[in-house]
Amino acid sequence: MNTMLIASFLEYLAIEKKYSKHTVMAYKKDLTSFQEFCLEQFENEEIAALDYHQIRLWIVALVDSGISNRTINRKVSSLKTFYGFLQKIGSIQRNPLAKHKSLKVQQEIHTPFTEKEINEVLGLLRGQDDFESLRDRLIIELLYSTGIRRAELINLKENDINRSDETIKVLGKRNKERLVVLLPSVALTLDAYIESKKSLGLKEKEGYLLLTKRGVKIYETLVYRVINLYFSTVSTRLKKSPHVLRHAFATHLLNNGAALNSVKELLGHSSLASTQVYTHNSLEKLKKVFNKAHPREPI
């Protein structure tokens, strides 16, 4: 019975909610882990029939295992969504996690790359016209100029790019589409990359834009290595990842007067709350300007 309910739930996430395969697998992993805990602790894997006190024992065990509160909250959220589904189809009367409060987490604030650091990295790649250098430059320019996520970048296809109106169609979380701007400078790199790709005879059967030298779609660790490799030459910050470029995109837009709601749309966020985390560095910059400029500031 339990297996059938979980299978129906995962199908619901994939078909009705249009969650990505990666997200559906994460839900499955969380539910399987909870099921194994219940079998070990209560000799019962029928998780649909459990109450909050039993679920709380699992949460306590997760805390004791030393994993972060953020990860625990994600796992509990998976379970809460599952119970919400069971309630929706009439398998249970109430969601045992309905009144559960998430564990407190410290807001993670990434320090974005500076404009100088980004320009220095692009300068390192300027003039290099081999396939991998052009691809790496395009990866960096697309991440910084559009703010797209790493997974969104990897899944870009050539036909997602509209050269007539200089836009790129991005397929975001939950298969939600949005348009981002293709800057003229990035378009030049794109043209050079596509020409290099054609000269090597590289063509992926599903039309993905960014490929390895073997002609297959790039992957997450490759994108991370590209960002880490080049930015390690110009930056001493500990975290050098694709997300830091996304953070730089948002922060630099806000610093230059872009409206928060516009940045929200460009980032593909469903709410302003998700975008407001990027305002931290902008506020810090404003404070410095204010403290220097205000007449009450001591000389």
Side-chain angles (χ1 to χ4, degrees):
M1 182 64 176
N2 222 41
T3 304
M4 290 176 59
L5 288 173
I6 292 175
S8 296
F9 170 63
L10 297 176
E11 185 178 2
Y12 161 77
L13 294 180
I15 297 174
E16 289 195 36
K17 302 296 286 184
K18 300 186 185 303
Y19 285 4
S20 68
K21 289 181 181 180
H22 177 78
T23 302
V24 173
M25 287 302 296
Y27 273 91
K28 182 179 180 180
K29 185 177 179 182
D30 290 339
L31 291 175
T32 301
S33 174
F34 178 59
Q35 197 173 21
E36 290 170 353
F37 173 83
C38 294
L39 186 60
E40 181 182 331
Q41 294 294 316
F42 314 124
E43 296 184 356
N44 178 14
E45 60 177 12
E46 293 297 324
I47 60 178
L50 298 179
D51 59 32
Y52 178 69
H53 296 292
Q54 292 170 305
I55 297 170
R56 192 173 183 280
L57 290 175
W58 174 60
I59 297 171
V60 170
L62 291 175
V63 172
D64 289 342
S65 71
I67 63 177
S68 70
N69 285 2
R70 190 181 300 275
T71 300
I72 294 171
N73 286 342
R74 195 211 72 233
K75 290 178 178 292
V76 175
S77 177
S78 296
L79 191 58
K80 185 176 181 179
T81 305
F82 172 66
Y83 283 126
F85 168 76
L86 296 185
Q87 191 176 21
K88 181 179 180 179
I89 64 174
S91 290
I92 60 173
Q93 294 299 310
R94 58 181 298 277
N95 189 329
L97 283 164
K99 295 184 178 180
H100 172 76
K101 292 183 178 180
S102 298
L103 302 178
K104 290 184 178 181
V105 296
Q106 187 173 1
Q107 186 66 58
E108 187 177 5
I109 298 172
H110 298 291
T111 304
F113 295 123
T114 64
E115 293 179 47
K116 180 174 180 289
E117 288 171 335
I118 292 166
N119 287 331
E120 284 180 358
V121 165
L122 293 176
L124 293 173
L125 286 161
R126 192 169 292 118
Q128 299 187 41
D129 58 2
D130 62 284
F131 170 76
E132 289 186 328
S133 294
L134 287 169
R135 181 204 61 201
D136 293 352
R137 180 182 175 93
L138 184 59
I139 286 173
I140 294 167
E141 288 190 342
L142 283 172
L143 287 171
Y144 176 58
S145 69
T146 66
I148 58 177
R149 302 175 178 93
R150 175 167 52 178
E152 294 169 345
L153 173 86
I154 290 168
N155 290 309
L156 283 180
K157 295 185 177 182
E158 286 196 37
N159 60 14
D160 289 329
I161 300 168
N162 188 326
R163 295 306 299 267
S164 62
D165 61 5
E166 299 298 308
T167 59
I168 304 172
K169 182 177 70 177
V170 178
L171 190 63
K173 289 184 176 180
R174 303 178 187 178
N175 289 334
K176 185 178 179 182
E177 288 185 358
R178 71 183 187 278
L179 292 178
V180 295
V181 178
L182 175 65
L183 294 178
S185 59
V186 183
L188 290 174
T189 305
L190 173 67
D191 290 341
Y193 163 75
I194 289 177
E195 190 60 37
S196 178
K197 187 165 68 167
K198 284 180 180 177
S199 69
L200 293 174
L202 300 178
K203 189 172 183 180
E204 204 274 336
K205 61 181 180 180
E206 293 188 41
Y208 287 106
L209 173 66
L210 294 160
L211 307 179
T212 69
K213 208 166 185 179
R214 293 187 292 110
V216 298
K217 182 174 75 166
I218 61 170
Y219 44 92
E220 290 197 356
T221 52
L222 184 148
V223 179
Y224 178 84
R225 284 204 306 266
V226 166
I227 303 305
N228 193 61
L229 171 67
Y230 289 105
F231 280 90
S232 290
T233 64
V234 302
S235 177
T236 58
R237 71 189 72 242
L238 293 176
K239 191 170 181 66
K240 294 178 278 289
S241 70
H243 187 75
V244 181
L245 269 177
R246 178 171 162 87
H247 193 88
F249 164 82
T251 302
H252 297 168
L253 282 178
L254 291 167
N255 283 349
N256 285 285
L260 185 63
N261 199 58
S262 298
V263 176
K264 164 187 168 290
E265 295 300 319
L266 290 168
L267 290 170
H269 284 159
S270 57
S271 69
L272 275 176
S274 300
T275 314
Q276 284 171 337
V277 67
Y278 297 101
T279 64
H280 173 79
N281 291 285
S282 298
L283 288 172
E284 290 303 311
K285 183 178 179 181
L286 285 173
K287 286 178 184 176
K288 288 178 181 178
V289 172
F290 175 83
N291 288 334
K292 286 182 178 179
H294 197 277
R296 291 298 300 275
E297 173 66 11
I299 299 175

